[in-house]
């Protein structure tokens, strides 16, 4: 139960809880907190002027907010209304939760002649309940009448306000709405002037389309090319100065890009396409080069030029149809008659002739050549009509006739004997070299006496090298040794001195 003023002193009051209040001054305004006792018990405050008494809330509930409908304090001497008949004010319903916080980062994305596009971010706090959406409100500059643009809340954080007057200044605010209520609105600091922002047309050609765009026959061609310009530019596609064939090519334009689409590309779709974006005479152009390729045809005029030993020579001419792509090379294969299987003999041959080696004697070979471009190998190959039979060749050896030459020569020592000094009991060798034809006879002599079959001496001759081994010589074996060479044309001799010393010690 609540009251508007303090009761007079003559009126009855509860004996337990209340006391009569002075007649001269009304009760002061209580604080907005649950009061444990009526306000009449509090002494009047000299700082505050008389004011309307706020209704006192029950002890177990928070005090209601004061309203403008509170009646003035009764005049002095008038009795207050009985507490029982007085109707209590309706208490506000408890909120189910906290409303969401304000949307964040409200900004203008685009302004046109009669519209404005806004963007923002979701609020940080949405409360216990989920967010129902947003409400966009606008107000003309100089007015205080805010008008909701959307009838129902929406969840997108981007919205375009349409049908605005050109030249108007518009204030904009956005509220987040949930079952707990609406948030504090997010408002743009400055009004937005609705006017056309002119922008020259500009084509933003993607990097991969700045070069020749290559597709295979049967592939789909789907390209999106962005552009800019305001007001909405006019988009024009041509090929060779003529409009496009709409039965094969589909063009779809939006405010910011154009899409070029061919469901199944053919060779005839190759060429240079010109894109023009135009606004009131100002324009920007771009060239799009499309090349549709397929497999090449087979090489022409393959010939087996020559067969020799283990080798064959082949020649051919390029294919008449290169598949709308440069020929990268040729693949040469061979097949022997015994197995019938084809094996690659040469890959990526860049010329129109080649030599195949390391063939097997006794086999018979056929050859074929494929052409290759960026799309792959040709479906068909050029095959030789002639075969290469690698036969065994019979070679008859004919000795070369060399003219006879007179090789007769008298003996001549090319390396003479040298004087030697040796120690008693150690074998010693005397060596010299001689030449002559016919081979000369070698005679060894000591002190002009021929050395015959003596086991102490071993004489040898090999390839013109003459040696005499003296086994375990003694001082008696010292002297002058002579080597004489004798044949039918003459003789020659060399000699040396040999000293044999006794052992020391």
């Amino acid at each position: 139960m609540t009251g508007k003023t303090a009761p007079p002193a003559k009126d009855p009051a509860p004996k337990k809880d209340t006391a009569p209040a002075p007649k001269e001054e009304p009760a002061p305004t209580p604080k907005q907190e649950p009061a444990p006792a009526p306000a009449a018990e509090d002494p009047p405050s000299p700082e505050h002027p008389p004011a309307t008494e706020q209704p006192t809330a029950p002890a177990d509930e928070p005090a209601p907010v004061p309203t403008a409908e509170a009646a003035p304090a009764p005049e002095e001497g008038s009795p207050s209304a009985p507490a029982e008949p007085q109707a209590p004010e309706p208490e506000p319903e408890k909120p189910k939760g906290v409303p969401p916080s304000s949307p964040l980062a409200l900004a203008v994305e685009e302004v046109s002649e009669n519209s404005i596009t806004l963007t923002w971010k979701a609020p940080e706090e949405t409360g216990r309940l989920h967010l129902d959406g947003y409400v966009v409100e606008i107000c003309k500059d100089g007015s205080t009448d805010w008008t909701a643009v959307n009838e129902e809340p929406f969840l997108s954080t981007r919205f375009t306000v349409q049908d605005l007057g050109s030249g108007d200044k518009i204030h904009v605010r956005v509220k987040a709405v949930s079952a707990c209520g609406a948030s504090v609105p997010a408002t743009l600091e400055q009004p937005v002037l609705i006017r056309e922002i002119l922008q020259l047309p500009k084509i933003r050609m993607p990097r991969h389309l700045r070069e020749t765009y290559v597709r295979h026959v049967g592939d789909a061609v789907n390209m999106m090319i962005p552009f800019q310009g305001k007001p909405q530019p006019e988009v024009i596609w041509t090929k060779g100065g003529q409009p496009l064939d709409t039965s094969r090519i589909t063009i779809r334009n939006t405010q910011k890009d154009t899409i070029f689409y061919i469901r199944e590309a053919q060779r005839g779709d190759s060429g240079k396409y010109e894109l023009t974006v135009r606004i009131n005479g100002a324009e920007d152009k771009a060239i799009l080069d499309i090349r549709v390729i397929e497999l090449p045809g087979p090489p022409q005029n393959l010939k087996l030029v020559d067969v020799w030993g283990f080798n064959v020579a082949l020649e051919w001419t390029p294919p008449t149809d290169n598949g709308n792509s440069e020929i990268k090379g040729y693949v040469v294969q061979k097949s022997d008659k015994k197995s019938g299987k084809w094996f690659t003999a040469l890959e990526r041959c860049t010329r129109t002739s080649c030599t195949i080696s390391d063939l097997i004697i006794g086999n018979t070979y056929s050859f074929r050549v494929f052409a290759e471009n960026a799309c792959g190998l040709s479906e068909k190959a050029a095959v030789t009509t002639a075969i290469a039979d690698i036969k065994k060749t019979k070679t008859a050896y004919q000795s070369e006739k060399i003219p006879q030459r007179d090789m007769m020569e008298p003996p001549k020592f090319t390396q003479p004997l040298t004087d030697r000094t040796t120690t008693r009991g150690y074998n010693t060798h005397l060596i010299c070299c001689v030449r002559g034809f016919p081979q000369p006879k070698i005679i060894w002599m000591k002190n002009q006496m021929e050395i015959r079959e003596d086991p102490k001496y071993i004489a040898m001759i090999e390839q013109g090298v003459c040696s005499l081994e003296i086994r375990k010589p003694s001082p008696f074996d010292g002297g002058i040794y002579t080597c004489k060479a004798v044949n039918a044309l003459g003789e020659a001799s060399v000699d040396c001195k040999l000293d044999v010393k006794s052992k020391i010690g």
Side-chain angles (χ1 to χ4, degrees), residues 230-490:
K230 293 182 181 179
Q232 176 66 32
E234 179 187 6
V235 180
I236 303 171
W237 282 92
T238 58
K239 180 183 179 184
Q242 300 298 322
L244 303 184
D245 182 6
T246 56
S247 63
R248 288 199 46 76
I249 303 174
T250 302
I251 302 294
R252 185 174 67 85
N253 301 322
T254 65
Q255 293 183 351
K256 295 184 178 180
D257 55 49
T258 177
I259 297 177
F260 181 100
Y261 180 72
I262 302 175
R263 183 179 297 274
E264 293 183 0
Q266 300 296 329
R267 292 267 298 268
D269 297 324
S270 302
K272 296 183 182 295
Y273 293 81
E274 185 177 43
L275 170 62
T276 305
V277 178
R278 182 181 303 159
I279 302 176
N280 298 330
E283 62 181 24
D284 188 23
K285 294 184 177 182
I287 300 297
L288 180 63
D289 188 7
I290 298 178
R291 182 185 299 171
V292 183
I293 64 174
E294 61 180 345
L295 298 176
Q300 303 294 313
N301 305 320
L302 177 60
K303 296 178 182 178
L304 184 63
V305 178
D306 194 9
V307 179
W308 73 100
F310 315 117
N311 314 295
V312 296
L314 302 174
E315 286 184 357
W316 62 89
T317 56
T320 55
D321 180 14
N322 63 0
N324 203 25
S325 177
E326 181 183 0
I327 298 296
K328 292 183 176 181
Y330 302 91
V331 176
V332 182
Q333 295 183 345
K334 64 182 179 180
S335 173
D336 62 274
K337 189 175 181 181
K338 293 181 180 179
S339 66
K341 296 181 180 180
W342 290 97
F343 300 94
T344 300
L346 191 61
E347 281 187 308
R348 198 62 68 88
C349 177
T350 56
R351 298 179 299 172
T352 56
S353 63
C354 70
T355 299
I356 306 299
S357 303
D358 299 329
L359 300 177
I360 300 175
I361 292 178
N363 285 0
T364 301
Y365 291 92
S366 297
F367 299 90
R368 66 182 184 183
V369 180
F370 291 89
E372 183 179 8
N373 66 0
C375 198
L377 293 177
S378 57
E379 293 182 349
K380 296 182 179 180
V383 183
T384 55
T385 55
I387 59 175
D389 189 7
I390 310 301
K391 297 180 179 180
K392 295 180 181 179
T393 56
K394 294 181 179 180
T395 304
Y397 177 75
Q398 294 181 355
S399 59
E400 185 177 357
K401 294 182 179 181
I402 302 175
Q404 294 292 332
R405 180 183 175 185
D406 186 6
M407 303 294 293
M408 306 298 286
E409 183 182 9
K412 181 180 180 181
F413 284 92
T414 59
Q415 181 177 340
L417 294 172
T418 57
D419 294 342
R420 296 289 303 272
T421 300
T422 185
T423 304
R424 179 177 181 176
Y426 290 89
N427 294 351
T428 301
H429 292 79
L430 303 178
I431 300 174
C432 61
C433 297
V434 66
R435 72 181 183 186
F437 190 82
Q439 182 175 351
K441 179 182 178 181
I442 302 300
I443 302 172
W444 285 94
M445 294 183 296
K446 174 188 174 185
N447 297 328
Q448 301 300 320
M449 297 293 293
E450 182 178 355
I451 299 174
R452 295 185 177 273
E453 297 179 1
D454 188 341
K456 191 175 186 66
Y457 301 96
I458 300 176
M460 296 181 65
I461 180 171
E462 185 176 357
Q463 300 294 329
V465 178
C466 305
S467 64
L468 176 66
E469 180 181 2
I470 305 173
R471 303 176 66 185
K472 297 181 180 181
S474 63
F476 175 77
D477 295 322
I480 303 299
Y481 285 83
T482 304
C483 180
K484 180 186 285 187
V486 180
N487 67 4
L489 298 180

Side-chain angles (χ1 to χ4, degrees), residues 97-101 124-131 178 180:
V98 180
S101 59
E124 291 183 352
E125 299 179 1
T126 59
R128 290 185 302 171
L129 303 178
H130 69 278
L131 195 66
S178 72
C180 297

